[in-house]
Amino acid sequence: MNRREVIERLGWGLTGSMLMPSLISSCSPKDPGPEVAYSGTVAVIGAGASGLYVADILRSKGIKVTIFEARDQLGGRVRSLRNQSVDQYPRLQDMSSDFPVELGAQTIVGSDSIMGKVYTAYGLVTLDNTALPNNYVIDNLSKLETDWAGDADFVAAKNFATNLRSFASNTGTVQQAITASGINPRVNGVLNALVGNKRGATNEQGGVGAWAQEAALIQNDGKVMVLKANPMHDVLISRFSNVQSLVNINTPIVSINYSADPIVLTAKDGSTYQANKVIVTVPISQLKSNAIAFTPGLPGGITGSLAKFEMGASYRAVIEFKKNFWGDTIGYILGSGDVPEYFSIGVGRSQFNATLSVTVNGSKAAKYSAMKNDDAILAILADLDVLYAGQATKYVRQVLNTTTNIYVVEDWSKIAYIGGGYAYPLPGATSTDRKNLSAPVNNVLFFAGEATDVSGQAGTVNGALASAERCAQEVITSITKA
Ligand SMILES: Cc1cc2nc3c(=O)[nH]c(=O)nc-3n(C[C@H](O)[C@H](O)[C@H](O)COP(=O)(O)OP(=O)(O)OC[C@H]3O[C@@H](n4cnc5c(N)ncnc54)[C@H](O)[C@@H]3O)c2cc1C
């Protein structure tokens, strides 16, 4: 890899690299101190949003930090197409989208959330998705929410999603709660889009109790923000550029021996590293598959709660069309049986506005994941054709003089060291299980990452960042109270 490629993989960041001091709740934005006296080293495993942020906070306190990232790029599940290479995304150079395309996280909820505040501090122009009209699919008809307003089943579905928090003590799946509520199955697709798919699974897979408890915890203004012109990856890289040089890329950690001080970390190539405290931020798919061997083994409190979560498959496809046939002002098309979410990502951002971003999570994603990408795209076009009278196949952009459709796909369950989209709770899980997942071990082993978020934002960038703040505080307390 040449220097330019290395920088591209690591990420360029925003032009001019605007930096902010670290924030943790006890500090004012202008005061990252006071310094914490600590002669040891803290190792952070994983350079996604949570790993970068927790490293950034600790570094700003004067603590020596080193980061290990298994892959060749930073950001984890924040990945913008602009920073990727054509060998991985063969149609990249044919894409004509005049705005950044996201392969992972694309929206941020809460202008007063951690990431929302970063957007504001950087003066980034954002669009408010909550203001967009959405289409909902019922009986294979894609119509505006206002058109469905008189449909009692649609109203019942919306009410169920809005009142999700009332199912906090329910130990079943979301679908079981829906069925028990007597809601007509003709709106199951809408409900799957509004509840399960949004959180990384289907309604048949996700436990309603934990999601209900989390819904009650969230504290932000609920604005759904999308960046008008900046890739999210660039924002992450700029915000955490202070720790970029501390990352050892292409260094998967395969074992952590924390039975003595110093802790010994072993990488896949056999090289060993020492640290005095370790923060693990890897997706739970990696912990569940024992990709990292812990000595001693993780305590039962953690493994017991780990068994109550799964990492759902997650399939993102971005498809370009010659013409917008779904409506120039439409934001989302929600509720089709096979494809729960189409997001018209050009709205307010593009002079063409003819691109759909598809997000399919959980068992529905497994169907597309099992197909060749070309075939999966044909299946998605067929789904749209039913809703829009054959227009998807008619208007899909193709490479000139060929029948090659122009799209990019990110199949997250196949991405090494990530292995899925979001950690979702199984029936019977509670928000206490997230607390158990995040519990420090012996004041030397700590956990961050979206799955360990206890602020109700698990499965999001803000959840990952909130977990980093919580974890940094735990590490600091372990030092100052020692
Ligand atoms: C398709 C999709 C759409 C999404 N949409 C949104 C959205 O719109 N809004 C939103 O807020 N969130 C969204 N999310 C979720 C969001 O992207 C994640 O919650 C967040 O980025 C997770 O950050 P993290 O730091 O917890 O984990 P990650 O970003 O997964 O970072 C963990 C890092 O650990 C590394 N790693 C793994 N194993 C090892 C090892 N053994 N050694 C060293 N490193 C290792 C991985 O390579 C990775 O870089 C979406 C996710 C997906 C997949």
Side-chain angles (χ1 to χ4, degrees), residues 46 48-50 69-70 76-77 105-107 253 282 417 422 449-450 459-461:
S50 60
E69 168 53 50
R77 282 170 272 171
Q106 55 191 359
T107 58
I253 296 300
V282 304
Y417 304 107
Y422 315 59
E450 56 90 4
T460 69
V461 172

Side-chain angles (χ1 to χ4, degrees), residues 45-51 68-71 73 75-78 103-109 232 251-254 281-283 286 291-292 314-316 359 361 412 416-418 420-422 448-451 459-462 464:
I45 318 299
S50 60
F68 299 93
E69 168 53 50
R71 299 190 57 85
Q73 57 186 288
R77 282 170 272 171
V78 174
L103 299 165
Q106 55 191 359
T107 58
I108 289 296
V109 179
M232 195 188 286
T251 312
I253 296 300
V254 295
T281 77
V282 304
Q286 306 305 297
I292 301 176
S314 186
Y315 195 87
R316 163 68 50 76
T359 306
N361 289 327
W412 286 93
Y417 304 107
I418 305 266
Y422 315 59
E450 56 90 4
T460 69
V461 172
N462 277 319

